[in-house]
Amino acid sequence: MARTRFLPDRGLTSRMVLVMFLLGLLYVAAMAGLIAAGFDVALVLIIATGFLVAQWFFSDKIALAAMGAHEVSPEDGRMAAELHGVIDRLCALADMPKPRVAIADTDLPNAFATGRNPKKAVVCVTTGLMRKLDTDELRGVLAHELSHVAHRDVAVMTIASFLGVLAGLVARFGMYSGLGRSRDNTAVIFAVVWLGSIAVYVISFMLTRALSRYREFAADRAGAYLTGQPSALASALTKISGDMAQIPTRDLRKAQPAQAFFFAPAAVGKTLGGLLSTHPPTEKRLERLAQVSAELGKPMA
């Protein structure tokens, strides 16, 4: 975690380390399996390294492009000036570097943070969110997003999600390259690599989703402690979650690339008890915020 006044979260740190360790083992095991099967993995390694470097250095640009967002300065209108003002005050309060600021022109009420480190981070807010929330609620959401930056979990999630997908792609690549080299046991190679690909992807997918859900709890808690207004964050969460059902399906689909980084998920419905969700249920987040209110001695409104 970067040195800031955000509340430290050892639970989040330990989970990030554990997930990265397990994904690393999974990735190495997948590569070792392909090598043991006699596949030529040199090209796979080159491609994998290239993708990882691109993801690391351009994840912020990719996320902004997916949302049609653009960076703004305080001189770019009233909305941009208000947004910069709130972020300036929060960064001063948290004693952290100010990230770049971006706005996405969409009715979808949401926000997200991305970037490989605090100095390269960007916080993006939609125009729908700015219109929907009052100043205290906006402050709570932005404190939540800045907590992601301070805890460096944005970078960890970027790598973790990439490694999960890449592990599955590596297995598939090995399958196709191996089919052309071993015609006598094609069926066996196909079955083993195909099943291995599924197992690798499912395990990595579940690990990253579990980490993603916990990091939202951690950001809610850290943001609420920084502002001292958990009720404002709870109010914002309730408003945003309630509005999601009113957003056209096509707009929700456009937002899917940034889903894991959103303040609130751009999707509705429940999936396998939430195991496949990028975010914990709203009810659980509100319960945790109520606990923070009790700890601070400030009852929820």
Side-chain angles (χ1 to χ4, degrees):
M1 176 177 175
R3 286 189 174 183
T4 70
R5 295 194 182 100
F6 273 108
L7 187 72
D9 194 310
R10 293 181 180 178
L12 177 62
T13 301
S14 62
R15 282 169 172 79
M16 289 194 295
V17 171
L18 178 61
V19 167
M20 292 302 293
F21 175 73
L22 293 176
L23 286 175
L25 286 181
L26 191 64
Y27 181 73
V28 171
M31 296 299 296
L34 292 175
I35 294 173
F39 298 149
D40 183 3
V41 296
L43 181 58
V44 176
L45 287 172
I46 293 173
I47 295 174
T49 302
F51 274 125
L52 182 58
V53 170
Q55 182 77 359
W56 179 253
F57 284 100
F58 301 111
S59 60
D60 54 340
K61 294 180 176 59
I62 293 171
L64 292 179
M67 287 298 297
H70 60 282
E71 291 185 40
V72 296
S73 70
E75 292 74 33
D76 290 333
R78 181 190 59 80
M79 187 175 288
E82 177 185 356
L83 182 58
H84 271 275
V86 175
I87 292 178
D88 282 336
R89 289 188 289 274
L90 286 172
C91 287
L93 181 63
D95 190 22
M96 66 179 291
K98 181 183 177 181
R100 290 172 291 149
V101 179
I103 292 179
D105 187 11
T106 173
D107 289 334
L108 181 73
N110 232 310
F112 67 90
T114 185
R116 62 184 184 273
N117 59 51
K119 292 183 178 179
K120 299 294 184 180
V122 57
V123 172
C124 179
V125 173
T126 68
T127 53
L129 185 82
M130 295 287 290
R131 289 192 292 265
K132 184 69 178 178
L133 304 184
D134 63 30
T135 301
D136 287 341
E137 292 165 343
L138 177 63
R139 189 167 175 257
V141 171
L142 291 173
H144 170 107
E145 297 304 329
L146 289 173
S147 170
H148 283 315
V149 174
H151 286 100
R152 297 182 185 270
D153 63 351
V154 175
V156 172
M157 284 302 301
T158 296
I159 298 175
S161 60
F162 172 76
L163 287 178
V165 174
L166 181 61
L169 292 176
V170 166
R172 288 180 176 83
F173 188 92
M175 178 184 71
Y176 292 121
S177 63
L179 287 178
R181 299 177 55 188
S182 303
R183 298 184 181 279
D184 294 336
N185 57 349
T186 296
V188 175
I189 293 174
F190 179 86
V192 171
V193 178
W194 184 68
L195 291 175
S197 171
I198 293 176
V200 166
Y201 180 79
V202 169
I203 294 172
S204 59
F205 182 87
M206 298 299 285
L207 284 172
T208 54
R209 288 302 169 96
L211 177 58
S212 179
R213 290 191 295 274
Y214 185 86
R215 82 186 194 112
E216 295 304 326
F217 282 135
D220 282 345
R221 180 178 177 82
Y225 262 94
L226 182 72
T227 63
Q229 293 182 298
S231 61
L233 182 57
S235 176
L237 180 60
T238 301
K239 285 184 178 180
I240 295 170
S241 299
D243 275 9
M244 284 301 171
Q246 310 300 322
I247 302 298
T249 302
R250 64 178 182 275
D251 292 336
L252 294 178
R253 287 174 179 169
K254 288 180 182 178
Q256 284 303 306
Q259 167 85 344
F261 298 104
F262 276 150
F263 170 71
V268 294
K270 297 181 179 180
T271 54
L272 297 180
L275 290 177
L276 304 183
S277 176
T278 56
H279 293 64
T282 300
E283 294 77 11
K284 294 293 184 182
R285 293 175 70 178
L286 292 175
E287 289 176 8
R288 297 285 184 96
L289 286 171
Q291 293 175 6
V292 173
S293 288
E295 293 168 5
L296 292 173
K298 296 181 178 181
M300 298 275 277

